Amino acid sequence: DTTVKQNPRYKLARVGKPVNLICSQTMNHDTMYWYQKKPNQAPKLLLFYYDKILNREADTFEKFQSSRPNNSFCSLYIGSAGLEYSAMYLCASSRARGQDTQYFGPGTRLLVL
Amino acid sequence: GEQVEQLPSSLIVQEGASVLINCSYTDSASVYFPWYKQEPGKRLQFIIDIRSNMERKQNQRLTLLFDKKTKHLSLHITATQPGDSAIYFCSASTGDTNTGKLTFGDGTVLTVKP
């Protein structure tokens, strides 16, 4: 089973409120990624976990938090949502790091009003 | 950092035609180039990849060409079918085991008309 699952699939949030998105995989992959994708734009890497080590991109360092309580689950947390956070959030996982296929989830569409 | 550009941004072809999607990158340290496609309403799906020590890779109707000198890739799809209609994304990775970071292009929207 190469399925990556994401919950919820759709999320409506108010400006200034927190948002928590969940991703899970049962492939025992070491690495899990979170991307942000806006219409007609490339998926943009926000952060990733290799095992228990979190790596955040420099330009999104303060905007997103994440946790990985076990190998299968990974969350993406926004402390105070702004209008600019409206996007599709994609979770992916891979067996290792570097040159390894990433398997993507269906995404969570977040709309901030 | 790495930048990836894809051209064209969209194309429409008749079923049976061949298409070419071009991709260029800027970081000479990039060594791994996976391509993904996203069909309408579906998740991103890996379709083919190439490493910088190769010039060509084929997977059924897909052929991926790589030119390290010009930092250019091209994806050739032959005998297109309506089911090939999707957004195709080129990506590049430095292959650094400390990052595994993929930088994506903005995508090419392919529409295959029956």
Side-chain angles (χ1 to χ4, degrees), chain B residues 52-101:
Chain B
S52 58
N53 59 353
M54 303 169 66
E55 293 182 350
R56 183 179 189 275
K57 189 170 185 180
Q58 184 169 359
N59 181 4
Q60 298 181 326
R61 295 184 292 111
L62 304 178
T63 301
L64 186 52
L65 301 178
F66 175 68
D67 188 330
K68 190 172 182 177
K69 204 176 206 178
T70 61
K71 299 192 189 73
H72 184 263
L73 300 98
S74 55
L75 178 67
H76 189 218
I77 308 173
T78 58
T80 53
Q81 306 163 359
D84 293 329
S85 296
I87 306 175
Y88 289 79
F89 292 95
C90 169
S91 69
S93 171
T94 60
D96 185 337
T97 53
N98 289 324
T99 67
K101 173 180 178 176

Side-chain angles (χ1 to χ4, degrees), chain B residues 35-39 43-47 83-89:
Chain B
W35 286 65
Y36 290 80
K37 79 178 222 184
Q38 187 172 29
E39 297 173 25
R43 64 186 71 198
L44 272 156
Q45 177 187 4
F46 168 82
I47 53 174
D84 293 329
S85 296
I87 306 175
Y88 289 79
F89 292 95

Side-chain angles (χ1 to χ4, degrees), chain A residues 3-4 33 35 37 40-43 45 48 57 90 97-102 104-106, chain B residues 31-32 36 38 43-44 46 49 51 89 93 95-102 104-106:
Chain A
T3 300
V4 177
Y33 307 82
Y35 292 85
K37 188 179 182 316
N40 303 314
Q41 293 184 19
L45 181 68
F48 69 95
E57 290 295 284
L90 304 175
R97 294 178 295 183
Q99 302 180 31
D100 205 11
T101 302
Q102 293 186 22
F104 282 81
Chain B
V31 296
Y32 174 58
Y36 290 80
Q38 187 172 29
R43 64 186 71 198
L44 272 156
F46 168 82
D49 60 6
R51 288 170 169 76
F89 292 95
S93 171
D96 185 337
T97 53
N98 289 324
T99 67
K101 173 180 178 176
L102 288 181
F104 284 86
D106 286 342

Side-chain angles (χ1 to χ4, degrees), chain A residues 70-109:
Chain A
N70 56 54
N71 178 266
S72 301
F73 288 87
C74 189
S75 67
L76 181 70
Y77 181 76
I78 300 167
S80 176
L83 296 175
E84 71 277 15
Y85 286 86
S86 292
M88 180 74 84
Y89 289 86
L90 304 175
C91 175
S93 70
S94 66
R95 185 171 47 87
R97 294 178 295 183
Q99 302 180 31
D100 205 11
T101 302
Q102 293 186 22
Y103 295 88
F104 282 81
T108 294
R109 187 173 295 281

Side-chain angles (χ1 to χ4, degrees), chain A residues 28-54:
Chain A
N28 202 31
H29 282 174
D30 286 333
T31 310
M32 296 184 75
Y33 307 82
W34 280 100
Y35 292 85
Q36 181 190 64
K37 188 179 182 316
K38 296 188 176 182
N40 303 314
Q41 293 184 19
K44 181 178 182 296
L45 181 68
L46 301 175
L47 53 88
F48 69 95
Y49 264 99
Y50 175 66
D51 194 14
K52 297 185 189 309
I53 301 170
L54 174 61

